Amino acid sequence: MTPKSITPVLLCGGSGTRLWPLSRKSYPKQFVPLMGEETLFQASAKRLSGTGDALTFQSPLVLTNSDFRFIVTEQLMAAGINPGAILIEPEGRNTAPAILAAALHVAASDPDAVMLVAPSDHVVPDAEAFHAAVAQGLAVVEDGDLVTFGIAPDRPETGYGYLELSAKPSGSGLPVKLSRFVEKPDAARAEEMLAAGTYMWNAGIFLFRARDIIAAFEAHSPSLIAPVQAALADALPDLGFLRLAPGPWSGAEDISIDYAVMERAPNLSVVPFTAAWSDLGGWDAVWRDSGPDAAGVVTSGGATAIDCEDTLLRSDSERLEVVGIGLKNVMAIAMNDAVLVADLSRAQDVKKAVDALKAKGAAQATSFPKDHRPWGWVETLVTGSRFQVKRIVVHPGASLSLQSHFHRSEHWVVVQGTARVTRDDEVSLLTENQSIYLPLGCVHRLHNPGKVPMALIEVQTGTYLGEDDIVRYEDAYARS
């Protein structure tokens, strides 16, 4: 039997505020190695790749925003996966416009293509079981059904939406017709649904043919068709990416796929999935899915627990050791610039902390000291009134833009690898322990000509040290 071809669609534009301070708007949880060496995005892409007896996955189509476009390609390449189309959303408009754009893009070359749409930040340890569930859904997809995946609940969870099935799953894994979507319940109602056996968690994963989901949009949310079609028709290629046109895209309603289509469509089936799954929607989920020890304790990074119970201790900073003594039902997560300490039962309230930090103007609400760039990354080490010290790491073969500054001068000291530095008309090759001074106003560029990452310490001095004090003359990454 020829394996059925599947086009994976990965959605990766979310901010994951419930996992603050590790996940922030500038670098959300899908790009973080949260549950091992791989990032959630890489694990998701690998899960939706390869060829088996029943399925063969095409290169993934990814929807993301401009800030993450180079992170997406870098992480896919590191995972050994060649990306398909990468559509850049000018702004977040929720999942319905994103999925419609993906369907229209796929349908342009093959209206009968089968699409598997999935978030890029879920944990599904058993990829083989997931592939088997996808194969079960293909039969009803061929009949024109829209398929969603229901997770067999193992507890009365109040943090998830539910799917009410028309009958109890038989245990065969075969699709069951969907009766209705159910909003997040209170604790008592969640207990009732767990006991009933006809309710499953809504995983937000979908399987359908491109033409069938487009037809569903035309029937149930026709107002989305014109702006999304226009955004795709006027999209501009950009270094291998496809930037959706911002004007028409802004006219698309900000709405989820559930509200726009799924709750209105009559042709929905649910594939029951009984293997392990988590959306890692909070630190309580990280604690639970990390496998607590006999005392209910999970530690990672530079963390030590002494006489603790039901506690999560985590340090994602090479400079900070976290030690808990006699703690019970506590989570403590440390980064270089922020520490979260809370009762584990209040994990869903972490987003309130982010809102509070935003209200007081704290940069930690959304940004990391370590900022990922297409050429590598930069980390702020020390900041003063008229100076700033940063660590800059440049990938092999990568270059920063040719640029100058109005308000600051810079001093670079190479601490690892080799740097080729352009300073006005002069080009210098610097190795470890060598340095160069870049006076205010000079036109300069940094390039790594070597085969290993290059690192340097940058000392900035001047009256204004903001990132917007950059005039770019040339840039390999087409940044303005």
Side-chain angles (χ1 to χ4, degrees), residues 433-458:
N433 292 321
Q434 292 185 315
S435 64
I436 191 169
Y437 175 66
L438 305 169
L440 185 151
C442 80
V443 177
H444 58 278
R445 167 175 268 162
L446 175 63
H447 173 71
N448 178 2
K451 303 296 185 183
V452 298
M454 184 275 296
L456 60 78
I457 300 301
E458 175 183 80

Side-chain angles (χ1 to χ4, degrees), residues 104-168:
L104 291 169
H105 181 81
V106 170
S109 56
D110 183 6
D112 289 318
V114 177
M115 302 168 57
L116 179 59
V117 180
S120 60
D121 56 0
H122 289 186
V123 174
V124 185
D126 191 341
E128 186 175 335
F130 182 71
H131 292 173
V134 173
Q136 292 278 27
L138 287 174
V140 292
V141 164
E142 293 299 326
D143 294 333
D145 270 17
L146 310 177
V147 170
T148 186
F149 293 80
I151 309 301
D154 58 7
R155 61 186 185 277
E157 177 62 57
T158 60
Y160 297 149
Y162 283 70
L163 306 169
E164 183 181 3
L165 280 57
S166 60
K168 284 187 178 182

Side-chain angles (χ1 to χ4, degrees), residues 9-11 44 47-48 99 115-124 130 133-134 146-151 163 181 201-208 257-258 262 268-271 273 276-279:
V9 177
L10 287 169
L11 308 175
S44 297
R47 186 166 60 251
L48 305 185
I99 292 172
M115 302 168 57
L116 179 59
V117 180
S120 60
D121 56 0
H122 289 186
V123 174
V124 185
F130 182 71
V134 173
L146 310 177
V147 170
T148 186
F149 293 80
I151 309 301
L163 306 169
F181 286 79
W201 295 335
N202 181 6
I205 303 172
F206 304 100
L207 184 73
F208 37 63
I257 187 69
D258 286 353
M262 299 302 175
L268 258 72
S269 293
V270 180
V271 173
F273 187 67
W277 168 90
S278 176
D279 71 343

Side-chain angles (χ1 to χ4, degrees), residues 63-316:
L63 285 110
T64 189
N65 63 43
S66 185
D67 291 341
F68 304 151
R69 66 194 190 281
F70 294 109
I71 299 173
V72 164
T73 54
E74 180 182 325
Q75 293 202 356
L76 286 176
M77 290 173 61
I81 296 173
N82 292 320
I86 299 177
L87 305 186
I88 307 299
E89 298 177 77
E91 58 180 300
R93 306 302 291 168
N94 216 314
T95 54
I99 292 172
L100 177 56
L104 291 169
H105 181 81
V106 170
S109 56
D110 183 6
D112 289 318
V114 177
M115 302 168 57
L116 179 59
V117 180
S120 60
D121 56 0
H122 289 186
V123 174
V124 185
D126 191 341
E128 186 175 335
F130 182 71
H131 292 173
V134 173
Q136 292 278 27
L138 287 174
V140 292
V141 164
E142 293 299 326
D143 294 333
D145 270 17
L146 310 177
V147 170
T148 186
F149 293 80
I151 309 301
D154 58 7
R155 61 186 185 277
E157 177 62 57
T158 60
Y160 297 149
Y162 283 70
L163 306 169
E164 183 181 3
L165 280 57
S166 60
K168 284 187 178 182
S170 64
S172 65
L174 292 172
V176 181
K177 284 293 184 180
L178 175 71
S179 290
R180 66 187 179 105
F181 286 79
V182 180
E183 296 290 339
K184 295 176 183 179
D186 59 24
R189 180 61 180 145
E191 290 277 8
E192 293 172 359
M193 290 192 290
L194 180 63
T198 54
Y199 294 86
M200 308 194 85
W201 295 335
N202 181 6
I205 303 172
F206 304 100
L207 184 73
F208 37 63
R209 289 183 301 201
R211 64 180 173 91
D212 293 327
I213 189 63
I214 293 171
F217 273 101
E218 291 171 340
H220 306 295
S221 286
S223 64
L224 283 173
I225 299 292
V228 175
Q229 278 183 331
L232 197 57
D234 296 338
L236 296 176
D238 175 9
L239 296 177
F241 309 104
L242 191 62
R243 287 184 177 273
L244 299 171
W249 186 257
S250 66
E253 183 181 1
D254 187 331
I255 187 171
S256 73
I257 187 69
D258 286 353
Y259 287 138
V261 171
M262 299 302 175
E263 292 187 1
R264 307 175 187 181
N267 57 328
L268 258 72
S269 293
V270 180
V271 173
F273 187 67
T274 57
W277 168 90
S278 176
D279 71 343
L280 292 185
W283 285 112
D284 53 342
V286 175
W287 168 77
R288 184 169 50 247
D289 294 324
S290 296
D293 65 16
V297 173
V298 171
T299 60
S300 62
T304 303
I306 300 171
D307 297 331
C308 294
E309 298 178 38
D310 299 332
T311 289
L312 170 65
L313 300 178
R314 181 181 182 114
S315 175
D316 284 88

Side-chain angles (χ1 to χ4, degrees), residues 22 29-43 46 75 123 280 283 286 289-290 298-301 314 316:
L22 182 64
K29 67 175 181 176
Q30 59 264 33
F31 301 121
V32 175
L34 191 58
M35 301 289 289
E37 296 299 318
E38 291 181 331
T39 69
L40 299 179
F41 173 66
Q42 288 174 315
K46 282 188 174 181
Q75 293 202 356
V123 174
L280 292 185
W283 285 112
V286 175
D289 294 324
S290 296
V298 171
T299 60
S300 62
R314 181 181 182 114
D316 284 88

